[in-house]
Amino acid sequence: DSGVTQTPKHLITATGQRVTLRCSPRSGDLSVYWYQQSLDQGLQFLIQYYNGEERAKGNILERFSAQQFPDLHSELNLSSLELGDSALYFCASSVGGLANSEQFFGPGTRLTVL
Amino acid sequence: KNQVEQSPQSLIILEGKNCTLQCNYTVSPFSNLRWYKQDTGRGPVSLTIMTFSENTKSNGRYTATLDADTKQSSLHITASQLSDSASYICVVSVGIYNTDKLIFGTGTRLQVFP
């Protein structure tokens, strides 16, 4: 158990809909990262927040947005969902905000768009 | 172009046997290299992190090596167990500051049979 929690574990929705994924980092970690992993694909970095501020942005679509709240939990919002958005979405956290910080991954949220 | 390539793509071995997974990278400037283990449908778990000055690091039956001159790393698994069946992901950090510069390999899928 990494100490990172994600909810929900599974999510099934229809095209065009909007969903929110939630992540709680390990106690004491200030950084939260979001990743997407499509079937048989590698992890794709989406976005990072550090202590409430956006720190880095990767391959995140404009239909997706995220935020980190004062209690350091984070939410990833996915809107106008398409079939291709079906994937595992992982959240990771780290103490620091730099690229050499060790990241601890949550169990993921499996999103299925029908 | 920053790239991380892993080989083989998949590997099948018998329980008790040893195996070695390879990771080649073209990344500059190099900060560190990590190996993660990812069970199917679960979040990656860190096995080792090595900076350029480290050329070997062990974590139980897992031993990672790094040759910064040839830009190659390997992960050696000794006396494999059924629980080693997973994907093993090599991740290279480009520089220290930018998290969006973590370059992920697509992984080696290892299956251990009795």
Side-chain angles (χ1 to χ4, degrees):
Chain A
D1 184 359
S2 66
V4 178
T5 60
Q6 290 186 248
T7 57
K9 193 168 184 177
H10 300 278
L11 198 50
I12 301 175
T13 188
T15 54
Q17 295 297 305
R18 172 189 171 93
V19 297
T20 297
L21 313 184
R22 182 188 169 102
C23 169
S24 292
R26 293 188 320 154
S27 176
D29 284 359
L30 299 179
S31 264
V32 169
Y33 312 78
W34 286 98
Y35 293 90
Q36 180 192 58
Q37 188 174 40
S38 302
L39 187 64
D40 293 333
Q41 297 292 313
L43 284 158
Q44 296 290 322
F45 169 70
L46 295 178
I47 197 165
Q48 177 203 0
Y49 279 81
Y50 177 76
N51 203 21
E53 299 289 327
E54 182 183 305
R55 171 64 67 95
K57 194 176 263 192
N59 300 321
I60 188 166
L61 299 173
E62 284 191 14
R63 300 184 285 109
F64 297 180
S65 65
Q67 54 184 326
Q68 186 179 29
F69 295 87
D71 67 352
L72 300 177
H73 91 271
S74 179
E75 293 181 354
L76 178 67
N77 301 296
L78 315 176
S79 62
S80 303
L81 285 168
E82 302 175 359
L83 296 177
D85 297 328
S86 295
L88 269 168
Y89 290 84
F90 290 105
C91 166
S93 73
S94 67
V95 172
L98 302 180
N100 59 3
S101 301
E102 181 168 5
Q103 297 181 23
F104 296 86
F105 284 78
T109 292
R110 181 176 292 280
L111 173 66
T112 302
V113 182
L114 301 175
Chain B
K1 181 182 176 185
N2 291 320
Q3 262 185 318
V4 174
E5 294 183 347
Q6 294 187 242
S7 63
Q9 194 171 21
S10 62
L11 184 61
I12 297 174
I13 62 173
L14 294 176
E15 187 179 15
K17 299 297 186 183
N18 303 334
C19 68
T20 300
L21 314 180
Q22 300 290 342
C23 174
N24 296 334
Y25 61 93
T26 53
V27 163
S28 181
F30 173 87
S31 176
N32 60 66
L33 184 147
R34 316 157 190 221
W35 283 94
Y36 283 94
K37 177 187 178 187
Q38 185 178 21
D39 293 316
T40 301
R42 314 231 7 212
V45 174
S46 179
L47 295 176
T48 63
I49 299 177
M50 289 184 292
T51 63
F52 75 94
S53 61
E54 299 174 290
N55 50 27
T56 188
K57 186 168 272 191
S58 292
N59 179 356
R61 294 179 297 102
Y62 301 100
T63 299
T65 64
L66 174 64
D67 186 333
D69 292 331
T70 62
K71 299 188 177 182
Q72 296 180 325
S73 176
S74 65
L75 181 69
H76 186 74
I77 304 175
T78 304
S80 61
Q81 299 176 358
L82 298 179
S83 60
D84 292 330
S85 295
S87 287
Y88 292 83
I89 305 169
C90 175
V91 185
V92 180
S93 174
V94 183
I96 298 173
Y97 300 102
N98 299 322
T99 303
D100 59 332
K101 298 305 181 188
L102 284 176
I103 311 297
F104 287 79
T106 53
T108 291
R109 183 178 175 86
L110 174 66
Q111 293 177 273
V112 181
F113 286 103

